[in-house]
Amino acid sequence: MVDVTSLTRSTATSESPLTRLALIGLALGFLVVFLLLPLVAVFNEALRNGLGTLVTALQEPDALAAIRLTLLVAAIAVPLNVVFGIAAAWAIAKFEFRGKAFLITLIDLPFSVSPVISGLVYVLLFGAGSVLGPWLKAHGIEILFAVPGIVLATIFVTFPFVARELIPLMQEQGTADEEAALSLGANGWQTFWRVTLPNIRWGLLYGVLLCNARAMGEFGAVSVVSGHIRGLTNTMPLHIEILYNEYNFAGAFAVASLLAGLALVTLILKTAIELRYAGQLSAARGH
Amino acid sequence: MELSIRNIRKDFGTTPALHDVSLDIRSGELIALLGPSGSGKTTLLRLIAGLETPSQGQVFFGKDDASRRSVQDRQVGFVFQHYALFRHMTVAENIGFGLSVRPRATRPPKAEIERRARELLDLVQLSGLERRYPAQLSGGQRQRVALARAMAIEPKVLLLDEPFGALDAQVRKDLRRWLREIHDRTGHTTVFVTHDQEEALELADRVVVMSQGRIEQVGTPDEVYDHPAVPFVHRFIGESSELPVRIDGGQVWLDDRPTGLTAEGAGPATLFFRPHQIEITDGCGGCLAGTVTGSRRLAGTRRLELALGGAGHRVEVDVPIDHPAAGKSGLSFRPRRYKLFPAPSPGSDGTPAAAIAQAPQYPAVA
């Protein structure tokens, strides 16, 4: 993209054409080798034996079950994280309270901790050897090696995405709009739906897309709690791993291409939002 | 609607923002809360609105104790310094917001809300901008929309927090005049916060001068300018020069020399006068005399900096541009109007060392 400022920039800060070419070439080369090539390879591998094989591989019952489970988990985890994320961001941005810095650090925990550990936490919490384990068993509640465990692990891992996106946005917007709405007679509910939410909608959508991408792609934490029961507790990433370990490359890459496709759609949507609402996004950020 | 603020105290954590403030505001009055930053003026305004709760004390709307009422119930029109317009709503939707969030039973029909919004846009002279978004308006236009939005709910009182603070000087002047006109036409009881004394003096019926969480003086612009009650008000409002003097035998003395000014009482005091309220004297049989240490052009006059007496006390006086004194190295003068305050005893917190009978504040003006 050509930037006006780069054209008018003074000669003092610009590099010689050769240096520029080298730097741009380096950055592009890096992107191609490490990001673009693997992606192309996935699709290439998936389509190696033609579109027919790909479709057949995806219609296999276990693959279908994995796709359904992944969509189900995302459909539960993402809305919950939207609610938690808004609540957390609201509390942090609009109120002063003790332990605020600690709460912000806590929200970042899923980013800093390895997903495997996030999964292990749930095993320790709900597993047969834990305090809760026998009680859960006695009441016939299955969490580990079942859908609830997978959902919990996914929520844990994807928690920061929405909150992290909203906190700086809401902090910057301050509380004046809400105060104005209240002084005009709106109650808390009306203020939230008619003022706060529209103010953060683009940031929220952004967070939701990222959260969704991660929820569908999460491997580590889910792997620990899922139990890998085919057709029951395998999500798409787990299913891909199993197929791969069984040397079923056609199947593995077929599912992988679908997962990568979902991620690409997410990215395209995100870019589309940025282009379409660039003005409002920047207004929301810099108003 | 009359407002009565009774013994309000507000602490933020352990920091007191307001100490025992009381104030009565008459119905239909336009009142300015004036003070430097940190004086508690915005806190007081937000307490009236119900955006803050007092640590102690009460706020009365008429006879009604509003202290425990929420901001929604108080029916105040609050205008924020940075407008706080809803950016995703059009101008008309912004203005209609207060009516559209009313409970179904009292909510006017849509067409009526739109009609009301148009009417208010006419009042604030922005007809035809109904469909614009706030981002498409200038700062002055936004502030007018914010005022129209606040007036749409038929507020009992209009509260404006630094309404012109974010605007440039020319727009500010225009809006000031315009706000006065709107006030005269609608008759809302209006309280506005400002740190700009010129704005307060020009616009308000009465000015409340605040400092460090206390009200220093309440009065008409004439009263606070001409009869400041405490040194702070004299320094804060208008230009001010001051000198440490002594009162003895009905005379005011500076470093054992008579100044030609009279006062009753005795003891150390501080003499306040305004740079433009002086007369230049020929010779010095009882006057203030000093050497000129600096000279600046100030719009229609020339301001001289003088060093007075052996201690070289610094004061400022204004002389006409074409006055010969402007070019000289020395000047003798006498304040035409002046004010004496007992000098604070050293090390104390401003309590007067000796109670002195105040001299006639404004001796015969020539």
Side-chain angles (χ1 to χ4, degrees):
Chain A
M1 206 193 296
V2 178
D3 190 353
V4 183
T5 51
S6 70
L7 291 176
T8 56
R9 194 170 293 165
S10 76
T11 47
T13 52
S14 77
E15 306 294 341
S16 74
L18 202 68
T19 322
R20 261 186 283 176
L21 206 66
L23 283 172
I24 294 169
L26 194 68
L28 277 181
F30 194 87
L31 283 177
V32 167
V33 172
F34 284 93
L35 294 177
L36 198 59
L37 274 184
L39 201 59
V40 172
V42 167
F43 285 102
N44 186 41
E45 202 65 32
L47 292 167
R48 175 181 292 237
N49 301 323
L51 202 60
T53 350
L54 183 124
V55 173
T56 330
L58 288 179
Q59 278 171 344
E60 197 231 336
D62 287 350
L64 279 177
I67 294 168
R68 264 201 302 273
L69 181 60
T70 296
L71 293 178
L72 175 71
V73 168
I76 298 171
V78 173
L80 283 176
N81 268 340
V82 166
V83 175
F84 298 153
I86 292 177
W90 178 285
I92 285 168
K94 315 263 170 178
F95 300 106
E96 290 301 326
F97 55 90
R98 267 166 182 273
K100 191 160 149 173
F102 179 67
L103 184 61
I104 296 176
T105 315
L106 210 59
I107 287 174
D108 275 341
L109 188 69
F111 274 170
S112 52
V113 112
S114 161
V116 177
I117 297 178
S118 318
L120 277 176
V121 168
Y122 286 100
V123 174
L124 289 175
L125 215 59
F126 302 119
S130 72
V131 187
L132 283 173
W135 187 87
L136 289 171
K137 196 172 169 109
H139 290 78
I141 302 169
E142 284 187 50
I143 292 183
L144 274 190
F145 314 127
V147 177
I150 299 173
V151 172
L152 282 176
T154 308
I155 288 176
F156 181 90
V157 172
T158 57
F159 182 79
F161 286 99
V162 174
R164 266 279 151 212
E165 189 64 37
L166 292 185
I167 289 168
L169 183 63
M170 287 175 110
Q171 273 177 334
E172 195 183 296
Q173 289 179 350
T175 49
D177 281 16
E178 280 79 15
E179 287 180 342
L182 293 175
S183 76
L184 290 167
N187 59 36
W189 197 242
Q190 288 169 322
T191 304
F192 176 75
W193 283 105
R194 299 191 50 181
V195 175
T196 308
L197 200 59
N199 274 351
I200 59 168
R201 58 189 161 182
W202 300 121
L204 181 64
L205 194 55
Y206 211 83
V208 166
L209 286 175
L210 289 176
C211 180
N212 183 54
R214 181 66 191 267
M216 292 194 302
E218 175 53 26
F219 179 82
V222 169
S223 174
V224 176
V225 297
S226 116
H228 304 268
I229 308 165
R230 276 203 193 201
L232 279 180
T233 63
N234 265 351
T235 60
M236 283 165 80
L238 300 185
H239 189 62
I240 293 167
E241 196 215 13
I242 290 177
L243 293 174
Y244 181 79
N245 286 343
E246 291 170 346
Y247 302 103
N248 182 355
F249 294 127
F253 279 105
V255 184
S257 68
L258 185 65
L259 193 56
L262 287 173
L264 281 180
V265 168
T266 305
L267 278 181
I268 290 167
L269 272 178
K270 178 177 146 286
T271 315
I273 289 170
E274 278 173 336
L275 285 177
R276 170 79 176 73
Y277 299 105
Q280 287 175 49
L281 271 172
S282 65
R285 270 148 205 228
H287 191 61
Chain B
M1 174 71 50
E2 294 134 40
L3 288 181
S4 179
I5 292 140
R6 298 193 191 159
N7 305 98
I8 286 276
R9 184 185 169 81
K10 175 70 183 171
D11 302 307
F12 289 113
T14 52
T15 330
L18 289 173
H19 312 262
D20 196 29
V21 165
S22 296
L23 177 67
D24 286 307
I25 296 168
R26 296 189 277 268
S27 187
E29 211 174 11
L30 181 54
I31 282 242
L33 302 181
L34 174 67
S37 43
S39 58
K41 54 194 193 300
T42 295
T43 305
L44 182 56
L45 192 79
R46 291 171 61 87
L47 278 163
I48 298 173
L51 292 170
E52 307 278 357
T53 37
S55 306
Q56 265 173 43
Q58 293 155 302
V59 178
F60 282 83
F61 281 33
K63 299 243 175 291
D64 179 27
D65 183 358
S67 314
R68 299 280 154 243
R69 283 178 186 247
S70 68
V71 54
Q72 289 102 324
D73 290 345
R74 291 200 193 185
Q75 223 183 329
V76 294
F78 201 99
V79 177
F80 293 81
Q81 182 178 2
H82 296 288
Y83 330 121
L85 292 178
F86 308 129
R87 68 204 90 190
H88 58 282
M89 296 183 200
T90 63
V91 165
E93 286 164 346
N94 261 288
I95 297 174
F97 183 85
L99 297 174
S100 72
V101 293
R102 283 192 183 168
R104 206 171 289 276
T106 54
R107 190 191 308 156
K110 234 179 162 153
E112 167 64 17
I113 294 179
E114 272 175 32
R115 194 192 59 77
R116 182 98 183 98
R118 266 199 308 277
E119 206 175 273
L120 280 159
L121 268 180
D122 281 346
L123 180 72
V124 301
Q125 298 160 9
L126 288 177
S127 319
L129 299 186
E130 292 93 326
R131 301 279 154 252
R132 295 271 190 95
Y133 283 91
Q136 297 168 311
L137 303 177
S138 71
Q141 288 173 329
R142 285 183 209 176
Q143 196 55 289
R144 292 176 194 218
V145 173
L147 187 71
R149 183 178 71 176
M151 288 196 296
I153 61 167
E154 282 143 35
K156 293 176 178 158
V157 48
L158 263 181
L159 305 170
L160 300 91
D161 184 11
E162 303 254 2
F164 313 127
L167 303 169
D168 62 57
Q170 191 54 47
V171 179
R172 215 142 115 176
K173 267 192 177 157
D174 294 344
L175 277 190
R176 238 187 251 166
R177 195 170 316 126
W178 166 84
L179 180 65
R180 181 78 231 185
E181 280 169 23
I182 295 250
H183 176 264
D184 293 345
R185 268 165 69 186
T186 60
H188 283 299
T189 308
T190 306
V191 184
F192 73 99
V193 158
T194 181
H195 61 262
D196 182 348
Q197 38 143 323
E198 210 181 297
E199 194 167 291
L201 295 178
E202 182 181 331
L203 203 49
D205 295 323
R206 283 197 302 157
V207 179
V208 178
V209 188
M210 297 184 67
S211 161
Q212 297 183 344
R214 292 191 170 82
I215 292 180
E216 298 287 355
Q217 189 174 2
V218 183
T220 63
D222 286 345
E223 280 163 5
V224 294
Y225 190 90
D226 292 334
H227 306 281
V230 288
F232 172 82
V233 176
H234 204 297
R235 287 192 197 107
F236 189 70
I237 294 185
E239 309 268 353
S240 176
S241 276
E242 54 192 274
L243 282 170
V245 293
R246 195 169 45 79
I247 303 171
D248 196 7
Q251 283 273 347
V252 179
W253 301 76
L254 175 70
D255 298 343
D256 299 323
R257 296 178 66 172
T259 59
L261 308 175
T262 55
E264 287 161 26
T270 310
L271 170 73
F272 283 85
F273 61 91
R274 308 225 179 259
H276 66 274
Q277 290 176 337
I278 58 134
E279 55 188 350
I280 295 164
T281 54
D282 298 325
C284 194
C287 71
L288 292 163
T291 46
V292 179
T293 58
S295 161
R296 276 176 289 145
R297 173 70 187 239
L298 261 196
T301 58
R302 189 173 296 282
R303 172 149 307 170
L304 301 182
E305 286 168 37
L306 302 177
L308 259 61
H313 305 292
R314 304 209 161 262
V315 295
E316 295 186 329
V317 297
D318 291 348
V319 298
I321 294 298
D322 50 359
H323 196 279
K328 287 186 187 155
S329 60
L331 184 77
S332 49
F333 69 96
R334 191 179 296 134
R336 281 189 284 123
R337 292 182 152 203
Y338 58 94
K339 178 102 181 143
L340 285 154
F341 292 103
S345 56
S348 82
D349 56 353
T351 35
I356 55 165
Q358 188 57 62
Q361 287 174 354
Y362 292 97
V365 177

